C-alpha cells in the first residue's frame, strides 16, 4: 500500500522536469525565509543572525593600518571581501612581506589577488560597481548559454529566481566575494563540455583553479575521458598563470610562495578554537563540530572523531568518488553525476566554506537542465540544490553557533555526494546488464 | 562456499574494527607533562621563571600552559565586617606583555571566605588552567575555564612571552595580605593515543575507501551472477 502511494507520488513529480522542482523549492523557501526573517527582525526585534544579509558582519579584519576604512564604507557596510584584497593589492606585497609585518596578509591565490589590480585605476566606488556588475554577468551569461534550448517561460524564471536571487549569489554580492567569477568560469567550462570542446573546458577550469584552488578536482574529467593532451594544456595554463601572477608582487618569488602556503596552512589547516565560524560554515567540518554541541553523547563522540579525522574523511570521499567514476559508464547521465560529485568535493574539501561557496552547485544544476536529464538522481539533486540555495539563516537564533545552515547544508551536501556515488555505481550495473 | 563467506565477513569486520580503533585512538587525547616549575612563593615579578617556561612553548605543537596555585592569607583588612561569599573580586590576573598581542587572563579563586570572621587561616585556591592553544608556532586561542577567546585577526603572530606580570586582584574597598603558596606552572601537551600525521591520515582514508569500494564490487558480482537469464 505504502509502495503504491510512493510510486504514485513519484509519477506525479515526474510530470514536471527537475528544473521545475528546483524552482518550486527555491521560490517557496525564499518566501518562507523572507516572512520569517521579517517577523523576527521587525515584529520580535531579534537582530538578524550572523549568516543573514545586510548586517554589519563583513567588517574587515586585517586591513593595513595606513588606510582609513570609513572612506570605503557604505554606511555600516564594507563589501569587505572586495575592500580587503583591493587595499592589499595596493601594498604590492600581500604575501611574504605582509606575513613578516603581521598585517595585510592575503590568503587569496596569486591570480585571485591580481584580479583586484585593474580596479586601482578607477575610483574605488566605481571599481566596486564594475566588479559586482561583471560578477553578475559572468554568472548570468553562461547560464543563458546553457539554457538556450529552454522556452522563455522556463529560462527567465530560472535566470531571475533560480540564479540571480539564489541566496549564495546574493550573499557573495553582499560580501563582494569573487567566488562568482570562478563559478562563471566553471559554467562556461561546462558549456564547452556539453559541446565536447575538452581543451577549452580544461583551460577554463585551470583559470578557475588559479582563482579558488578547489575547482582543481574538475580536471579529473579530462583524465576520465583520457584527453591527456588537454589535461597537459590545462596544467600548463594553471601553472603559467599562477607563476606570472606571483611575479607581479614584491617580496621575492620563492619567499612569496612559501608565505602563501604557510598562510593557507594557518587559515584552512585547523579550526581548533575558532568556534566563531561554526554558525556560518557550510563545510562538513561545521556538521562535525556542531554534533559536539548537541547534548547527546554518541553524537558528541562521533563529531569529535570525525572532526579530528577530517583529512581521513575527505580522502575517503575522494577515493570513493574516483573509483565510482572510473567504473561508471560513458553516458551523459554519468557525466552529469561525475561533475556533481566533483563539485561536491570542490565545496566540501576545505574545513571552511562560507555561503557564497555553495554557488558552485549551479554547475550540476545547469548540467541537469542542459542534458535534460530526468533520472531519479537528477530529481533528487535538483531538489537538494534547491534546499541548499534557500536562505536558512532566518531560522537561526542570533549569533548561535548551531544554526540551521551549518547543520542542514553539510547534510544536504553529503546526501548529494551519496546520490552521485549510488548513481555512478548504478550506471555501471545498468551497462553490464544491457551489454550482457 | 559457506566457510569462504564466513571468512570474508570476518575479514570485513576486522578491517572495519581496525579503522574504527585507529580513528578513535587518534581522537582521544591524554595530557603529558613537558616541564614544570614550583611550587614557590609568589614574590614580586615572576617574569624570569615564567619566561623560561614560555620559551619551551614554541617547541611543541598543541602545548599549553597550566597554572595552579593556592593562596594562604595571613591577614585581611576589611572596610566592612561582613561580606558575601562571592569570589568574583578575587583572583590572579596575569598580563602577558607580548609583542603586539597583549592578553589579560583573570583566574578567579575559590575559597571559604566566611571563616575570615573567626580569625583562622584561610586558603584560597585556583586550579583553573590557562590553556593556550598553539599550532605551528601560532596562537590559536586562549582558554580560561570554558571560555575561549580567539585571536582570529592576529593568528599569524606568535605570542612571545617577553614578560609576565602577575598580581592579586581584589576589590578596592578591601585590602588583602597574604602569601601565595604552591604556585605551580607547567607546560603540558595534549597528545592523542595514536599520533597520526596528516599524510598518513589521508593515506588511511584512501585505503579505507578502497576496501569499502572493493566490497561493493563483490556485491555487484553477486548481482551479476544472480541476474535473471
Amino acid at each position: 500500500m505504502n509502495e503504491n502511494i510512493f510510486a504514485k507520488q513519484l509519477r506525479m513529480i515526474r510530470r514536471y522536469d527537475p528544473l521545475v522542482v528546483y524552482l518550486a523549492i527555491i521560490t517557496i523557501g525564499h518566501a518562507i525565509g523572507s516572512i520569517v526573517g521579517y517577523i523576527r527582525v521587525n515584529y520580535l526585534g531579534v537582530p538578524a543572525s550572523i549568516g543573514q544579509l545586510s548586517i554589519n558582519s563583513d567588517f574587515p579584519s586585517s586591513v593595513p593600518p595606513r588606510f582609513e576604512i570609513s572612506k570605503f564604507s557604505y554606511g555600516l557596510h564594507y563589501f569587505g571581501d572586495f575592500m580587503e584584497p583591493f587595499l592589499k593589492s595596493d601594498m604590492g606585497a600581500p604575501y611574504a612581506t605582509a606575513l613578516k609585518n603581521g598585517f595585510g596578509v592575503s590568503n587569496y591565490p596569486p591570480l585571485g589577488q591580481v584580479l583586484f589590480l585593474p580596479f586601482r585605476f578607477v575610483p574605488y566606488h566605481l571599481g566596486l560597481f564594475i566588479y559586482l556588475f561583471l560578477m553578475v554577468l559572468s554568472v548570468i551569461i553562461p547560464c543563458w548559454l546553457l539554457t538556450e534550448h529552454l522556452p522563455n517561460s522556463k529560462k527567465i524564471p530560472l535566470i531571475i529566481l533560480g540564479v540571480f536571487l539564489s541566496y549564495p549569489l546574493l550573499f557573495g554580492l553582499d560580501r563582494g566575494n569573487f567566488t562568482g567569477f570562478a563559478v562563471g568560469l566553471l559554467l562556461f567550462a561546462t558549456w564547452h563540455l556539453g559541446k565536447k570542446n575538452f581543451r577549452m573546458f580544461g583551460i577554463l577550469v585551470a583559470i578557475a583553479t588559479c582563482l579558488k584552488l578547489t575547482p582543481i578536482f574538475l580536471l579529473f574529467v579530462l583524465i576520465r575521458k583520457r584527453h591527456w593532451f588537454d589535461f597537459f594544456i590545462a596544467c600548463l595554463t594553471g601553472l603559467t598563470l599562477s607563476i606570472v601572477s606571483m611575479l607581479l608582487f614584491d617580496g621575492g618569488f620563492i619567499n612569496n610562495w612559501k608565505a602563501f602556503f604557510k598562510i593557507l596552512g594557518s587559515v584552512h589547516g585547523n579550526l581548533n578554537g575558532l568556534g566563531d565560524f561554526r554558525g556560518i560554515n557550510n563545510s562538513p567540518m561545521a556538521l562535525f563540530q556542531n554534533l559536539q554541541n548537541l547534548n547527546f553523547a554518541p553524537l558528541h563522540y562521533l563529531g569529535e572523531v570525525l572532526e579530528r579525522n577530517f583529512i581521513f574523511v575527505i580522502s575517503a570521499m575522494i577515493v570513493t568518488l574516483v573509483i565510482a567514476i572510473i567504473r561508471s559508464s560513458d553516458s551523459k547521465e554519468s557525466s552529469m553525476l561525475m561533475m556533481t560529485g566533483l563539485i561536491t568535493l570542490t565545496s566540501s574539501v576545505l574545513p571552511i566554506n562560507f555561503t557564497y561557496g555553495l554557488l558552485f552547485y549551479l554547475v550540476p544544476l545547469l548540467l541537469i537542465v542542459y542534458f535534460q536529464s530526468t533520472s531519479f538522481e537528477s530529481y533528487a539533486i535538483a531538489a537538494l540544490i534547491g534546499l541548499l540555495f534557500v536562505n536558512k539563516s532566518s531560522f537561526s537564533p542570533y549569533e548561535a553557533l548551531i544554526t540551521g545552515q551549518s547543520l542542514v547544508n553539510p547534510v544536504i551536501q553529503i546526501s548529494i555526494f551519496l546520490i552521485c556515488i549510488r548513481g555512478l555505481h548504478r550506471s555501471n550495473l545498468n551497462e553490464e546488464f544491457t551489454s550482457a | 562456499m559457506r566457510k569462504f563467506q564466513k571468512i570474508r565477513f570476518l575479514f570485513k569486520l576486522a578491517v572495519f574494527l581496525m579503522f574504527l580503533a585507529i580513528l578513535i585512538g587518534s581522537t582521544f587525547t591524554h595530557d603529558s607533562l613537558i616541564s614544570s616549575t614550583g611550587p614557590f612563593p609568589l614574590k614580586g615579578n615572576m617574569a624570569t621563571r615564567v619566561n623560561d617556561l614560555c620559551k619551551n612553548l614554541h617547541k611543541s605543537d598543541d602545548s599549553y600552559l597550566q597554572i595552579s596555585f593556592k593562596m594562604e592569607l595571613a591577614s585581611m583588612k576589611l572596610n566592612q565586617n561582613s561580606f558575601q561569599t562571592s569570589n568574583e573580586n578575587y583572583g590572579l590576573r596575569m598580563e602577558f606583555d607580548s609583542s603586539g598581542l597583549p592578553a589579560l587572563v583573570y583566574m578567579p579563586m575559590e575559597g571559604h571566605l566566611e571563616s575570615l570572621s573567626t580569625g583562622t587561616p584561610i586558603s584560597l585556591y585556583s586550579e583553573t588552567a590557562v590553556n593556550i592553544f598553539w599550532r605551528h608556532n601560532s596562537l590559536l586561542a586562549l582558554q580560561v575555564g570554558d571560555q575561549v577567546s580567539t585571536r582570529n585577526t592576529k593568528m599569524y603572530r606568535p605570542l612571545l612571552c617577553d614578560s609576565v606580570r602577575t598580581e592579586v586582584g581584589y576589590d578596592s574597598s578591601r585590602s588583602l595580605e597574604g602569601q601565595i603558596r604552591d604556585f605551580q606552572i607547567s607546560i603540558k601537551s595534549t597528545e592523542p593515543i595514536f599520533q597520526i600525521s596528516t599524510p598518513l591520515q589521508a593515506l588511511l582514508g584512501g585505503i579505507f575507501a578502497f576496501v569499502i569500494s572493493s566490497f561493493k564490487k563483490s556485491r555487484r558480482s553477486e548481482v551479476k551472477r544472480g541476474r535473471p537469464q
Side-chain angles (χ1 to χ4, degrees):
Chain A
M1 184 61 190
N2 283 339
E3 200 178 334
N4 285 343
I5 291 168
F6 180 72
K8 204 175 161 184
Q9 282 177 342
L10 201 66
R11 262 204 311 279
M12 199 182 78
I13 290 170
R14 284 203 168 181
R15 281 192 296 180
Y16 307 99
D17 57 35
L19 172 62
V20 177
V21 174
Y22 165 74
L23 283 175
I25 289 173
I26 202 168
T27 309
I28 295 167
H30 271 322
I32 295 172
S34 305
I35 291 166
V36 172
Y38 182 81
I39 291 172
R40 273 168 55 106
V41 175
N42 295 301
Y43 290 13
L44 306 176
V46 180
S49 65
I50 193 164
Q52 226 160 323
L53 293 174
S54 304
I55 57 163
N56 182 24
S57 66
D58 71 336
F59 189 82
S61 56
S62 60
V63 167
R66 68 189 167 95
F67 294 106
E68 197 181 323
I69 56 171
S70 59
K71 283 182 185 170
F72 304 98
S73 70
Y74 292 82
L76 292 173
H77 201 68
Y78 290 90
F79 292 97
D81 285 3
F82 174 79
M83 191 185 96
E84 274 194 51
F86 175 86
L87 297 181
K88 286 168 190 170
S89 71
D90 191 44
M91 289 164 55
Y95 299 110
T97 314
L99 191 66
K100 201 176 164 188
N101 293 338
F103 58 81
V105 179
S106 172
N107 55 0
Y108 285 20
L111 188 67
Q113 194 58 50
V114 165
L115 188 77
F116 294 90
L117 290 177
F119 297 103
R120 286 166 55 191
F121 299 103
V122 289
Y124 177 79
H125 297 291
L126 177 65
L128 175 64
F129 174 77
I130 295 171
Y131 169 85
L132 295 177
F133 184 70
L134 287 179
M135 186 159 34
V136 172
L137 278 189
S138 70
V139 175
I140 299 289
I141 291 173
C143 287
W144 192 268
L145 291 173
L146 282 160
T147 53
E148 262 176 339
H149 60 284
L150 288 181
N152 280 343
S153 59
K154 281 185 181 174
K155 192 196 289 188
I156 292 170
L158 172 66
I159 299 288
I160 295 174
L161 265 177
V163 177
F164 183 67
L165 292 178
S166 68
Y167 193 61
L169 183 58
L170 290 180
F171 195 86
L173 291 173
D174 184 67
R175 297 292 184 268
N177 192 278
F178 75 125
T179 304
F181 288 110
V183 173
L185 285 165
L186 291 186
L187 287 168
F188 271 116
T190 309
W191 184 62
H192 283 289
L193 184 71
K195 303 270 179 209
K196 296 200 182 299
N197 184 353
F198 289 100
R199 184 156 308 165
M200 207 56 207
F201 170 81
I203 289 170
L204 289 168
V205 170
I207 299 171
T209 303
C210 292
L211 287 176
K212 283 299 273 188
L213 296 181
T214 53
I216 196 167
F217 289 108
L218 293 183
L219 288 178
F220 189 72
V221 173
L222 297 177
I223 297 173
R224 172 66 182 86
K225 304 276 182 189
R226 295 179 188 178
H227 287 269
W228 301 110
F229 186 68
D230 296 332
F231 178 71
F232 172 73
I233 294 284
C235 292
L236 199 67
T237 308
L239 282 173
T240 310
L241 281 174
S242 296
I243 290 168
V244 170
S245 305
M246 193 56 106
L247 284 171
L248 294 174
F249 296 109
D250 303 334
F253 181 74
I254 302 290
N255 286 341
N256 276 344
W257 276 115
K258 278 184 189 168
F260 173 62
F261 287 117
K262 193 175 176 188
I263 294 160
L264 272 192
S266 304
V267 175
H268 295 302
N270 56 70
L271 282 168
N272 286 359
L274 303 182
D276 299 347
F277 291 144
R278 275 178 285 181
I280 50 173
N281 191 2
N282 298 285
S283 163
M285 179 63 104
L287 176 70
F288 303 157
Q289 289 175 331
N290 282 331
L291 283 178
Q292 297 169 51
N293 291 345
L294 298 176
N295 198 16
F296 185 53
L299 286 180
H300 176 94
Y301 289 122
L302 179 70
E304 205 173 325
V305 170
L306 292 173
E307 187 197 348
R308 275 264 174 186
N309 297 288
F310 186 69
I311 303 293
F312 180 96
V313 175
I314 294 300
S315 172
M317 279 174 75
I318 293 171
V319 173
T320 307
L321 184 66
V322 165
I323 290 173
I325 289 172
I326 289 169
R327 285 181 186 167
S328 66
S329 62
D330 197 12
S331 63
K332 276 186 179 179
E333 187 66 25
S334 299
S335 295
M336 185 275 289
L337 291 169
M338 172 171 60
M339 285 288 282
T340 311
L342 293 170
I343 285 290
T344 316
L345 283 186
T346 300
S347 180
S348 314
V349 73
L350 295 179
I352 305 174
N353 180 21
F354 295 133
T355 306
Y356 38 71
L358 298 176
L359 200 61
F360 283 114
Y361 283 94
L362 274 183
V363 174
L365 179 75
L366 270 293
L367 207 55
I368 289 170
V369 174
Y370 186 75
F371 286 155
Q372 300 181 33
S373 174
T374 54
S375 62
F376 163 76
E377 284 80 13
S378 306
Y379 279 96
I381 291 168
L384 288 171
I385 293 174
L387 284 175
L388 202 59
F389 279 12
V390 166
N391 172 13
K392 291 167 213 68
S393 52
S394 301
F395 307 103
S396 309
Y398 176 60
E399 285 189 344
L401 286 178
I402 306 176
T403 59
Q405 84 177 56
S406 62
L407 268 180
V408 175
N409 285 354
V411 173
I412 293 174
Q413 291 187 83
I414 292 167
S415 306
I416 293 175
F417 182 79
L418 294 175
I419 288 167
C420 289
I421 298 294
R422 177 188 178 274
L424 287 166
H425 278 297
R426 224 164 58 112
S427 78
N428 185 24
L429 279 179
N430 288 346
E431 190 189 43
E432 282 182 7
F433 278 130
T434 48
S435 62
Chain B
M1 189 65 194
R2 249 187 141 170
K3 197 176 175 186
F4 176 72
Q5 277 181 344
K6 206 173 177 181
I7 290 167
R8 207 175 64 182
F9 172 75
L10 286 174
F11 175 71
K12 284 179 196 178
L13 193 69
V15 170
F16 184 76
L17 288 176
M18 190 186 75
F19 277 100
L20 198 68
I22 292 170
L23 290 183
I24 291 172
S26 67
T27 302
F28 294 104
T29 56
H30 68 282
D31 289 347
S32 73
L33 187 72
I34 295 176
S35 61
S36 75
T37 181
F40 49 79
L42 181 67
K43 276 180 187 171
N45 195 337
M46 300 195 18
T48 319
R49 283 190 178 114
V50 178
N51 280 348
D52 288 343
L53 281 171
C54 282
K55 279 173 194 164
N56 293 328
L57 273 174
H58 298 283
K59 291 176 185 168
S60 170
D61 283 357
D62 288 336
S63 59
Y64 64 89
L65 189 71
Q66 190 174 49
I67 303 165
S68 60
F69 67 93
K70 278 184 182 172
M71 183 176 177
E72 198 173 83
L73 295 177
S75 66
M76 192 172 198
K77 291 170 187 168
L78 296 167
N79 292 341
Q80 53 199 63
N81 292 327
S82 63
F83 53 89
Q84 300 287 321
T85 323
S86 166
N87 306 320
E88 60 195 31
N89 293 325
Y90 295 88
L92 186 76
R93 203 171 65 192
M94 300 191 70
E95 201 172 308
F96 289 74
D97 182 19
S98 61
S99 64
L101 188 65
L104 195 70
V105 179
Y106 181 76
M107 298 167 66
M109 282 190 280
E110 293 173 39
H112 301 283
L113 300 183
E114 303 98 318
S115 57
L116 266 179
S117 54
T118 63
T120 52
I122 298 159
S123 282
L124 294 177
Y125 60 91
S126 174
E127 292 175 348
T128 311
V130 181
N131 291 343
I132 304 172
F133 292 98
W134 298 84
R135 198 62 66 84
H136 307 304
N137 281 347
S138 299
L139 176 74
L140 276 178
L142 280 170
Q143 186 180 37
V144 185
D146 292 333
Q147 301 242 321
V148 177
S149 64
T150 57
R151 297 283 182 274
N152 294 349
T153 53
K154 291 176 180 176
M155 61 188 290
Y156 307 118
R157 186 174 297 183
L159 171 66
L160 305 170
C161 293
D162 294 336
S163 68
V164 177
R165 192 159 61 84
T166 55
E167 63 179 57
V168 178
Y170 49 88
D171 193 314
S172 56
S173 65
R174 301 162 191 170
S175 62
L176 195 70
E177 285 174 19
Q179 190 188 37
I180 289 185
R181 293 193 320 157
D182 302 336
F183 193 94
Q184 191 144 8
I185 303 170
S186 53
I187 296 172
K188 290 184 176 179
S189 177
T190 306
E191 288 171 0
I193 299 166
F194 303 134
Q195 189 79 44
I196 303 179
S197 62
T198 307
L200 185 62
Q201 212 183 97
L203 184 71
L204 286 173
I207 293 169
F208 180 72
F210 185 77
V211 172
I212 297 294
S213 298
S214 306
F215 293 163
K216 279 214 176 232
K217 190 182 177 184
S218 59
R219 200 185 67 177
R220 195 188 63 193
S221 308
E222 280 167 23
V223 173
K224 203 175 164 186
R225 275 199 300 275
R227 72 173 184 265
Q229 297 299 312

